[in-house]
Amino acid sequence: MLALGRILHKGEIYEGYFEVDGGKVVIDGYEIEDYRFLPPVKPTKIVCVGLNYIDHAEELNMEIPEEPIIFLKPPSAVIGHEDLIVLPKISKRVDYEGEIAVVIGRRCKNVKKDDALDYVLGYTCFNDVTARDLQSKDGQWTRAKSFDTFAPIGPYIVTKMLEKLKIETRLNGRVVQKSDTSNLIFDIPTLIELVSNVMTLEKGDVIATGTPAGVGMLKSGDVVEVEVNGITLRNYVR
């Protein structure tokens, strides 16, 4: 599989394309060991979509939106594969939300739906970690979504966009979310059109496409994994 990302290897950061074969990473024909995946991009913004799976809206007792609901997470919230999600003391209920993330490949504005995929670099895994009690308390989502470590992404970007992407979230090895892009209320081209008509999207910006049903609480010691079409983002909770 051809992938794109950032790798820390022997104290040096490698950024670019590499092959992933059976869990092995190959750069320029050489298999490497003792490496760590870094967040695959440095986005200027992370645009998230709320309530984009019908079953998730139903589990939260919220109406199906007539148009996409978007919000932002700050770049300071980004962490990578196998990094720690840190539970803030101020919150008593922090949830995982496994998502498919689309990474923008070049600067764009006012993109038409039919042309939207021309601006996509690829896709990866994302976890929209949320302080659910603060989300309910505030009545809007900024504080609940923006704590440091609340935007795990990675481990790398797959550059070949597929017609249907499958997502599965596991908590301590147990499957808690499972769906695919055929169940999105608003598909990826629609989201790119809407977002780019609001704001200029830069290369490396991320659109997180929403979470399916099955969101749940995280506690210290948990291991949460988000898998999209065979690539897995794993994070530990403290």
Side-chain angles (χ1 to χ4, degrees):
M1 176 190 299
L2 182 64
L4 175 64
R6 301 170 63 241
I7 294 173
L8 180 64
H9 176 57
K10 294 184 177 179
E12 301 288 337
I13 295 177
Y14 171 85
E15 298 187 40
Y17 289 91
F18 49 87
E19 291 284 341
V20 180
D21 183 9
K24 300 176 181 178
V25 172
V26 180
I27 299 176
D28 297 331
Y30 295 94
E31 180 184 335
I32 65 170
E33 298 179 349
D34 300 323
Y35 63 87
R36 182 166 71 89
F37 288 115
L38 301 175
V41 287
K42 297 179 179 179
T44 69
K45 52 190 165 294
I46 304 159
V47 186
C48 298
V49 183
L51 303 176
N52 201 24
Y53 287 82
I54 293 175
D55 53 2
H56 178 51
E58 290 174 344
E59 76 175 346
L60 296 179
N61 296 315
M62 300 182 76
E63 294 184 1
I64 305 300
E66 295 182 1
E67 60 181 4
I69 300 169
I70 63 173
F71 60 93
L72 297 175
K73 292 182 86 109
S76 55
V78 170
I79 58 173
H81 179 62
E82 297 195 332
D83 286 342
L84 288 172
I85 297 169
V86 179
L87 303 177
K89 293 180 180 179
I90 195 174
S91 175
K92 304 301 181 184
R93 171 67 188 255
V94 174
D95 286 3
Y96 58 82
E97 294 189 12
E99 306 200 9
I100 298 165
V102 175
V103 181
I104 299 301
R106 55 191 172 106
R107 195 172 196 261
C108 59
K109 173 69 175 172
N110 296 323
V111 173
K112 299 298 183 184
K113 180 178 178 179
D114 290 345
D115 301 324
L117 295 184
D118 294 340
Y119 295 89
V120 172
L121 178 61
Y123 64 88
T124 190
C125 310
F126 188 78
N127 193 340
D128 177 21
V129 182
T130 303
R132 192 71 66 200
D133 53 348
L134 300 183
Q135 183 182 23
S136 300
K137 179 180 180 180
D138 291 353
Q140 52 84 26
W141 302 354
T142 302
R143 180 167 64 146
K145 301 280 189 176
S146 298
F147 286 94
D148 291 352
T149 76
F150 271 26
I153 187 169
Y156 47 80
I157 299 163
V158 176
T159 56
K160 183 179 180 180
M161 286 294 293
L162 302 177
E163 186 172 336
K164 183 165 75 171
L165 298 173
K166 299 178 181 179
I167 182 169
E168 179 176 289
T169 306
R170 296 181 294 273
L171 183 65
N172 302 320
R174 179 174 63 90
V175 176
V176 289
Q177 292 183 291
K178 192 168 186 176
S179 193
D180 61 66
T181 48
S182 68
N183 295 315
L184 291 175
I185 299 171
F186 305 103
D187 63 17
I188 290 170
T190 298
L191 296 177
I192 293 172
E193 180 181 69
L194 178 131
V195 173
S196 71
N197 275 266
V198 174
M199 64 191 79
T200 299
L201 291 169
E202 303 287 352
K203 181 179 179 179
D205 282 352
V206 172
I207 298 177
T209 58
T211 195
V215 299
M217 184 176 178
L218 293 171
K219 65 182 185 301
S220 185
D222 281 344
V223 179
V224 58
E225 297 173 300
V226 180
E227 180 177 327
V228 177
N229 281 52
I231 65 172
T232 300
L233 169 68
R234 180 183 306 108
N235 294 98
Y236 307 100
V237 183
R238 184 180 68 190

